[in-house]
Amino acid sequence: MFPVLSFDYQPATRIRFGAGALGRLADLLPAGARILLLYGGGSIKRNGVYEQLVGALAGRDWNEFGGVEPNPSVEVLSRALAQLRGTGRDFILAVGGGSVIDGAKYLAAAALHGGDGWELVCGRQPVVAALPVGAVLTLAATGSEGNGTSVISRLSSEDKLSFRSPLLQPRFAVLDPDTLSTLPDRQLANGVVDAFVHACEQYLTYPVGALVQDGSAEAVLRALYRLALRFDERRSLDWRQNMMWAANQALSGTLGLGVPHDWATHRIGRGLTALYNIDHGRTLSIVQPALLRETAERKAAKLGQMGERVFDAPGLAPGQVVERITALYRGLGMPVRLADEGVAGAGASDRLMSQLRRDGPLRLGEGGMLDDAAVERIVRACCDG
């Protein structure tokens, strides 16, 4: 007998999707808004996106802040926050991938918070108010454009933490697959893996009889698997539009409604990013195979289901499904152990375990099934193996 499903779901982000959608941004912007245009390293000024934004913002009160880095830090965002407050901005338009959008969410909450914004990130204070945010997606990976979660780093303490609130959900998101056409292969591969692991962590747990959620997760996972196999087609519109929508759906909220989640891969991976500044997607491909080998017996039912319904290979043993996933990552040129990123030695696992233990005893995975000893085995397998 499966447990009774129970959830509370209110989708709040308006999605404008399709080739050319960026050219129709203007009518989504609120009349009279004092807008902060937030972006990253400046690629939008080389690929034509910035010119389209300037056109959409013509006649409006706006200024800009560029330089939000991958894995956005409070140290850089503090400068954006000072500009936002000093110029009286009341709407944030985030243009970029998950890092820029996460940074916008932090600014939206910190702008109306009386204390240190890090209090919101680490959970010492709740988000009680936030400025509205709109998003223009230029890198498909995290799904941040359609949810209320933000992941922020603090360089001074080597922390990378997530916080969430319905108040942080973007009011709208423009998903134009044309914006992916000039991305480097590394970023596209990172995006495939990030989205794939997002779907896995809401699916590879244990059966609860959620037919719609399972079917939705399997559809997203199959799409990403096929996109990985067709990576040589990544410059085509067909590939780009399917990638953009699959990444959005992987973390839009619907896959995980009422079902158990396992975010242990992300938790451990964030530690690697904080310590070694490794791309988020690459930390996931390093950690997940080791984690699944550790948990294969307990996840056997869903791994078998994944083998049949995602890889079209009924009868695979749990360990064989894990190796299919590992091969998928290798085929994209992604690392599957820390040494593949040029970090080696026993000191790496010790350093990561010390970082993970700072907040108290470890209980990760669905139902806290991974205790400290299990987490250490996973960390040593992916860092020292």
Side-chain angles (χ1 to χ4, degrees):
M1 186 69 178
F2 291 121
V4 175
L5 296 176
S6 178
F7 53 83
D8 190 335
Y9 177 57
Q10 182 178 342
T13 301
R14 178 178 179 180
I15 302 290
R16 180 165 288 176
F17 183 97
L22 180 54
R24 297 181 287 115
L25 168 64
D27 68 286
L28 295 173
L29 298 169
R34 299 186 299 277
I35 298 169
L36 174 67
L37 173 63
L38 189 75
Y39 57 91
S43 63
I44 65 169
K45 293 188 175 181
R46 299 187 295 272
N47 61 15
V49 169
Y50 185 78
E51 287 77 8
Q52 294 186 72
L53 293 168
V54 170
L57 292 166
R60 296 176 181 271
D61 179 359
W62 67 282
N63 60 38
E64 63 185 74
F65 183 93
V68 178
E69 75 272 51
N71 308 303
S73 68
V74 291
E75 285 85 351
V76 169
L77 291 172
S78 65
R79 301 201 302 269
L81 183 61
Q83 178 179 320
L84 184 150
R85 286 173 167 166
T87 59
R89 304 296 95 185
D90 58 16
F91 186 89
I92 304 170
L93 179 61
V95 182
S99 292
V100 175
I101 299 169
D102 283 5
K105 293 174 182 177
Y106 169 81
L107 293 176
L112 302 182
H113 177 62
D116 182 351
W118 188 251
E119 295 176 333
L120 304 172
V121 180
C122 69
R124 285 200 294 268
Q125 294 291 331
V127 177
V128 296
L131 296 178
V133 172
V136 174
L137 188 67
T138 64
L139 194 163
T142 69
S144 186
E145 73 279 0
N147 62 55
T149 299
S150 175
V151 181
I152 302 296
S153 297
R154 187 168 66 173
L155 303 178
S156 62
S157 58
E158 295 184 324
D159 279 311
K160 183 179 180 183
L161 302 176
S162 66
F163 73 115
R164 60 187 55 84
S165 168
L167 298 171
L168 302 180
Q169 185 120 1
R171 303 294 177 86
F172 66 80
V174 175
L175 276 63
D176 186 336
D178 287 344
T179 63
L180 305 185
S181 60
T182 60
L183 286 177
D185 291 350
R186 181 185 179 106
Q187 290 184 320
L188 292 172
N190 284 348
V192 173
V193 172
D194 196 359
F196 191 87
V197 176
H198 283 156
C200 283
E201 294 203 308
Q202 300 164 87
Y203 173 75
L204 280 181
T205 55
Y206 53 86
V208 294
L211 299 179
V212 172
Q213 288 87 331
D214 274 5
S216 298
E218 288 155 4
V220 170
L221 289 166
R222 279 197 308 272
L224 291 163
Y225 174 51
R226 291 171 184 172
L227 290 168
L229 296 180
R230 294 166 44 203
F231 196 70
D232 60 340
E233 302 173 25
R234 59 197 176 277
R235 301 303 167 193
S236 70
L237 175 59
D238 177 68
W239 195 96
R240 286 183 282 112
Q241 65 188 6
N242 277 290
M243 177 61 210
M244 186 165 263
W245 190 236
N248 174 274
Q249 290 298 288
L251 204 56
S252 67
T254 57
L255 304 190
L257 292 174
V259 302
H261 294 197
D262 170 15
W263 295 105
T265 295
H266 272 75
R267 177 69 182 86
I268 299 169
R270 285 174 187 155
L272 288 176
T273 294
L275 293 173
Y276 299 108
N277 198 31
I278 300 171
D279 300 358
H280 174 62
R282 299 173 85 80
T283 70
L284 301 180
S285 65
I286 289 168
V287 173
Q288 193 197 37
L291 184 142
L292 291 178
R293 291 185 189 105
E294 170 71 26
T295 59
E297 183 175 341
R298 283 176 283 186
K299 295 179 184 284
K302 292 303 284 286
L303 282 165
Q305 188 172 312
M306 184 178 190
E308 177 178 356
R309 300 181 186 177
V310 175
F311 296 125
D312 296 319
L316 287 182
Q320 292 174 307
V321 178
V322 176
E323 295 316 309
R324 287 285 184 105
I325 295 171
T326 307
L328 174 69
Y329 298 159
R330 286 198 177 106
L332 288 168
M334 298 291 284
V336 294
R337 55 184 187 144
L338 190 57
D340 296 339
E341 283 293 289
V343 180
S349 58
D350 292 340
R351 190 179 180 199
L352 178 56
M353 284 305 302
S354 176
Q355 201 255 17
L356 291 171
R357 287 169 172 151
R358 285 191 311 185
D359 296 326
L362 290 171
R363 282 289 177 181
L364 305 183
E366 58 270 33
M369 71 175 187
L370 296 173
D371 60 14
D372 189 281
V375 174
E376 183 163 4
R377 288 193 296 271
I378 293 165
V379 166
R380 295 202 180 280
C382 67
C383 290
D384 303 340

